[in-house]
């Protein structure tokens, strides 16, 4: 394993000397910076940065890093997060009936493409219970109707607390998450298709085929109360042609959804995503 590191994600009003102030905090405490990236959004007047350093030889104990940096961040009016590389996040995957994103995330986690635990799968249908059992992951079937939605969401929140979940991934979970739930648990990533032109409602791939689209895509984003309009983390597209039938479009769409969702989850878990407003900076 690599030596443990600490990462700061910071956004604050742009001003002179910010890079020096942040880097000097690490240098003055004996830290060795191994990654540093930054971006200035001139339209928003914001400076955004990700900086990672080795904890070996760092003079401050972990529990004192946050209060020490907080004293620097406060006069800068900074919003910031502190993460440690040896903290293993816990993911809950929510699904309905489609299994392609679920299998892909589990495979990538087993292959150690990203560091996380997946102790919990929640579904509004029983269809994928066997997948959970195959990989020894706890499965909870919580059917959702208009009448029981608030009750079931309370149960979902209780499960997230019981399993100490850090991130929810909606891996083709075909239900709308309520604003009340999002307010209680905002760390949610969703994946959905993206068509140019856009098609909504039932059978989007059939609509796209009838329209003769030449590009299909997928978008992974954080979930907000406004449906499918949260800050975008990752996107990709694939070209299609007149030779592709509906089955080809669905196959290519699933391939895109797998890859785009995996990239988004990996970027989040590696603390490379900084949200500001309804936008993101994704540091390489």
């Amino acid at each position: 394993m690599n030596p443990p590191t600490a990462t700061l994600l910071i956004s604050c009003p742009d001003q002179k000397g910010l890079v020096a102030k942040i880097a000097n905090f690490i240098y003055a405490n004996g830290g060795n910076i191994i990654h540093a990236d930054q971006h200035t959004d001139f339209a928003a007047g914001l400076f955004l940065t990700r900086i990672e350093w080795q904890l070996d030889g760092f003079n401050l104990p972990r529990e004192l890093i946050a209060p020490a940096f907080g004293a620097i961040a406060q006069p800068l009016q900074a919003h910031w997060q502190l993460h440690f590389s040896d903290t293993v996040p816990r993911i809950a995957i929510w699904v309905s009936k489609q299994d392609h994103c679920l299998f892909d995330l589990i495979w990538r986690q087993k292959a150690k493409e990203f560091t996380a635990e997946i102790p919990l799968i929640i579904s509004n249908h029983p269809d994928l219970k066997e997948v959970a059992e195959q990989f020894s992951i706890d499965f909870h079937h919580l059917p959702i109707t208009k009448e029981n939605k608030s009750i079931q969401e309370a149960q979902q929140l209780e499960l997230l607390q019981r399993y100490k979940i850090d991130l929810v991934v909606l891996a083709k979970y075909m239900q709308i998450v309520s604003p009340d739930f999002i307010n209680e648990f905002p760390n949610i990533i969703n994946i959905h298709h993206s068509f140019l032109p856009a098609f909504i409602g039932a059978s989007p791939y059939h609509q796209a085929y009838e329209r003769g689209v030449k590009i299909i895509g997928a978008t992974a984003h954080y979930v907000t109360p406004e449906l499918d309009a949260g800050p975008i983390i990752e996107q990709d597209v694939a070209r299609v042609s007149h030779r592709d039938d509906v089955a080809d479009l669905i196959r290519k769409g699933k391939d895109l959804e797998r890859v785009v969702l995996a990239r988004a989850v990996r970027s989040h878990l590696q603390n490379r995503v900084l949200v500001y407003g309804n936008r993101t900076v994704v540091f390489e």
Side-chain angles (χ1 to χ4, degrees), residues 242-262:
H242 58 278
R243 298 184 183 277
D244 292 313
D245 58 21
V246 173
D248 293 322
L249 266 63
I250 292 174
R251 172 179 53 80
K252 291 183 178 182
K254 286 183 175 181
D255 285 346
L256 283 172
E257 288 172 345
R258 291 185 187 99
V259 173
V260 169
L261 182 58

Side-chain angles (χ1 to χ4, degrees), residues 55-95:
L55 286 170
D56 289 350
F58 195 62
N59 297 331
L60 289 176
R62 295 190 188 202
E63 64 273 13
L64 295 183
I65 297 176
F69 184 75
I72 296 172
Q74 185 174 5
L76 300 178
Q77 303 177 55
H79 298 281
W80 56 280
Q81 308 165 32
L82 174 66
H83 302 279
F84 299 109
S85 64
D86 53 3
T87 299
V88 180
R90 292 169 64 82
I91 298 175
I93 302 177
W94 292 18
V95 293

Side-chain angles (χ1 to χ4, degrees), residues 106-114:
I106 293 174
W107 180 86
R108 292 178 190 273
Q109 186 262 348
K110 296 294 185 185
K112 302 187 185 303
E113 287 194 12
F114 56 76

